[in-house]
Every structure is written in structure tokens, then in C-alpha cells.
Amino acid sequence: MKGYVVLETGEVFEGTLVGENQEVHGEIVFFTGMTGYQEVLSDPSFKGQMVVFTYPLIGNYGINEGDFESIKPQASALIVSELSEGGYHYESYTPLAKCCESNDLPLLIGVDTRAIVKRIREHGDMRAILTTNPESVNFDATIPLGEQEVVSAVSVKTMEQFGEGSHHVVLVDFGYKKSIVDSLVLAGCKVTVVPHDTDFSEIEKLHPNGILLSNGPGNPKQLEEILPTVKQLASAYPTLGICLGHQLLALAFGADTQKLRFGHRGANQPVIDKETNRVYMTSQNHSYVVKEDSLEGTGLSPRFFNINDGSIEGLHHETHPILSIQFHPEAHPGPSDSEQMFKLFVEMLSNKGEKAYA
């Protein structure tokens, strides 16, 4: 059947709808990777977002058992130019379209994705409605994603444990990706995942060697109530923050964040480490960044920068063993240049918080 994406600007884009046909509201964003659609559709950081893929052909390697980042799709909808009906890879067990149908994930194909991306680049990430009746849409009934508290919808409800190792890491879950836990376990860590609103005293009882503040969806300022706990944890234990976790660390110590015009989503984003002058090609997925001029007096200093636009991509603390990164070192999808950030974190744990260099 025909489906339509109606942008907040009033523009309408037509395609063919596969799967769930109910009206879907969300923030429309674009992803620039040539591969990685399975990780994208299951990444909790995409909660509340419709994802437009800039690469014209999507689905050609199908869906496999190992690349899901959570137990179910998290994106609100997928929008592609051309869909491959088969999965031409030896690990594929089902095509992308069937995966979307079985999980009630709307998939709109045959869309002029180039035109949509141009609108997003011009106007910024915006609200959109996917519908079969474009005449019936009503944006007055929608709430911008930045005003929603979506982390509670993706965070675990009970504690989970993974792996065995000499270092015990408590991962505070704001919408963590499975591959982050996999990377920590591979680095020799025991990982305990706790809900995002777990208080300091409960985490203290777990006797962690370090804390990881995970990625997640939405506006970090919607989580103001947990900032005192974030600061308390980071002041007591060696801490790594990834993506949303990085932003929360900045806010907890008194810095500020702002929304990018259209975010960084995709692979091959160049980031430079100013302490080593090493450049990493990174995987990213974020709408918000830390404002550099807000860091004065916080004890936090910028360490990593995006080479394309100069935005902050990571921080370290002047006295506490705290490292934060805006990019995704677990590299799912790739590239894997920055996966050694986990090694750096483990060195922080081994050295009881002394600064480490990748």
C-alpha cells in the first residue's frame, strides 16, 4: 500500500509501506553508513526516531542472528530508497522486510531519500508523521523528542550480569548497546547492568571497580533528576561515559549541552585526540553536544574533537579518573579504530584511576 512521510515543514514524500500501517509520530533523522542497518534498527539510541538511510540500496545482506543491539527494534520507522528483497550473505536468515513485518516496524521504500536528507540538512532534525492518509496528520498532537523522557522506555528494569573478570564494571543503562557489554567482557571485565535511575547506595553495594554510563536516546536535560547520582558516582569511581553518558557527565559537573542542527549519525566520522594527535574514524549517533564555553570551572577539559565541525567529542577530568567520549568505541556498525577506548578504560581501572593514553 502507499505510505507517506509528512515533515513538520508540510512537505510530503510518497513511498510503498511494508509492515505496520498505523500512523507513526517521531523525529526524522538520517544515517550515512553504507552498512549497519540491523544495528541501527535495534539501537536504543534511535528510540522515537524515524531513520532515513542515505545509501540508496538497503537490505542486500539480510538479517543475521548476531548483529542486534537489543532484543527488539527500537527505531520508530525505516525509510529507504531501494530495498533488496533478498539477503545475500551466508549468515542471513531472513530479509530486512520480513524482519520489519514480524516486529511491527514500519518500513517505507521507494522514497526520494536524497530530497528528505536535503530538507533535514536545511531545516535540522524535525518532527515527522508516517501515515497512509497525509490529509489527516496533526502536528499539534505530537511532542518534540527533545521534550520527551524516553530513557525509561529502553532502560532495563532489573539488574543483569555478564562475564567474569578481575574488574567489576557497573554499567548504568540509559539505553545500552549489547556490543558495549560484549567489548567489556572481551576486555576481561565482569559487567553488572543496572537501571538508569539506580541510586548511589545501591551501586555502592555492588562494590564496582569502575562505572560506565551508557549511550541512550533523547535530550540529556530530560534526566536532570539523576545528575547528582552521576556526579557522585564519577567522583567515587573511575568512570567512562559514552554518548549520552558523556553528555550527562558534562551536565553533572556544571557544563551545558546544546542540540546540533542535524546530528552526527553514521560511520567514518573523523575525531582527533588532542593529547596524542591521533585521528580515529568513528561510528556516531547523537543529536546533542557539550558546549565548549560552558566547561570553565567544571574540572572537565576537552580532549577529543570532531574534525569536520570542531564540536567536542570527549572530555577528561583534571583530578578525577573520568573519561567521556561522544563517539561509539564498540564500533557496531564500524569502523573499529576507537575500540581501544575500552582498553584505556581498563587501564584506568588497573592503575586505580591514573590517566591512561591510547
Side-chain angles (χ1 to χ4, degrees):
M1 71 178 71
K2 286 187 177 181
Y4 305 86
V5 173
V6 184
L7 303 185
E8 194 173 357
T9 59
E11 294 172 279
V12 181
F13 295 87
E14 180 181 322
T16 300
L17 184 62
V18 177
E20 182 64 47
N21 63 7
Q22 67 181 21
E23 188 168 281
V24 177
H25 297 203
E27 181 179 71
I28 194 163
V29 300
F30 63 86
F31 177 83
T32 62
M34 294 174 64
T35 61
Y37 52 82
Q38 184 172 345
E39 291 91 337
V40 167
L41 69 88
S42 59
D43 181 352
S45 294
F46 281 108
K47 187 71 175 180
Q49 293 178 324
M50 302 181 194
V51 185
V52 180
F53 290 92
T54 62
Y55 193 67
L57 177 64
I58 298 295
N60 56 310
Y61 57 87
I63 296 292
N64 62 58
E65 295 283 1
D67 285 340
F68 288 108
E69 290 295 340
S70 60
I71 61 174
K72 63 180 181 179
Q74 302 288 352
S76 295
L78 306 183
I79 301 168
V80 305
S81 176
E82 181 180 350
L83 177 72
S84 174
E85 295 184 3
Y88 304 102
H89 190 276
Y90 73 95
E91 291 184 333
S92 173
Y93 72 90
T94 191
L96 174 60
K98 287 189 177 180
C99 174
C100 291
E101 284 185 283
S102 62
N103 287 282
D104 294 329
L105 174 62
L107 171 63
L108 192 64
I109 64 175
V111 184
D112 187 350
T113 53
R114 180 182 174 87
I116 294 180
V117 171
K118 288 175 70 175
R119 301 303 186 275
I120 296 172
R121 289 181 64 89
E122 180 183 356
H123 298 288
D125 298 337
M126 67 186 89
R127 289 179 293 175
I129 297 175
L130 190 154
T131 180
T132 56
N133 182 11
E135 304 299 326
S136 69
V137 300
N138 178 16
F139 280 99
D140 292 337
T142 68
I143 301 173
L145 184 60
E147 298 175 17
Q148 300 177 36
E149 201 291 275
V150 288
V151 166
S152 58
V154 296
S155 178
V156 297
K157 301 299 184 283
T158 58
M159 191 181 302
E160 300 175 351
Q161 290 192 330
F162 303 89
E164 296 291 338
S166 55
H167 301 296
H168 181 200
V169 175
V170 168
L171 186 155
V172 184
D173 175 28
F174 302 104
Y176 83 97
K177 294 171 65 180
K178 178 182 71 68
S179 52
I180 292 178
V181 169
D182 293 342
S183 296
L184 288 172
V185 170
L186 186 63
C189 296
K190 172 186 174 182
V191 181
T192 301
V193 179
V194 300
H196 75 286
D197 55 357
T198 306
D199 61 35
F200 178 82
S201 61
E202 290 302 308
I203 293 174
E204 190 177 33
K205 292 175 184 176
L206 297 172
H207 304 293
N209 301 114
I211 303 295
L212 192 148
L213 304 172
S214 84
N215 63 293
N219 182 352
K221 291 181 180 178
Q222 294 298 112
L223 296 169
E224 285 186 327
E225 71 280 359
I226 69 162
L227 295 181
T229 299
V230 169
K231 185 173 184 179
Q232 197 173 7
L233 287 169
S235 299
Y237 302 102
T239 300
L240 173 65
I242 296 177
C243 202
L244 179 60
H246 150 79
Q247 297 159 12
L248 292 172
L249 276 168
L251 291 174
F253 280 86
D256 196 10
T257 58
Q258 64 183 358
K259 191 173 185 181
L260 290 166
R261 187 173 184 82
F262 48 79
H264 298 158
R265 296 178 186 87
N268 298 323
Q269 295 273 348
V271 169
I272 186 168
D273 181 348
K274 286 294 188 178
E275 292 201 2
T276 64
N277 282 325
R278 179 166 184 173
V279 173
Y280 300 94
M281 300 307 292
T282 69
S283 177
Q284 301 196 12
N285 175 20
H286 61 98
S287 297
Y288 294 84
V289 292
V290 175
K291 296 172 66 174
E292 187 172 2
D293 60 6
S294 72
L295 291 171
E296 185 175 354
T298 65
L300 295 168
S301 300
R303 173 169 172 175
F304 300 91
F305 290 89
N306 188 294
I307 292 176
N308 288 338
D309 65 8
S311 60
I312 289 177
E313 292 277 1
L315 307 165
H316 67 253
H317 198 277
E318 295 165 3
T319 57
H320 295 303
I322 298 171
L323 177 68
S324 70
I325 48 181
Q326 184 66 79
F327 50 93
H328 284 263
E330 74 281 358
H332 280 248
S336 58
D337 289 24
S338 60
E339 62 185 359
Q340 62 182 309
M341 292 298 122
F342 291 109
K343 177 183 175 184
L344 193 155
F345 178 49
V346 171
E347 288 178 6
M348 288 170 57
L349 304 180
S350 301
N351 298 331
K352 301 188 184 303
E354 293 182 13
K355 188 180 291 186
Y357 296 92

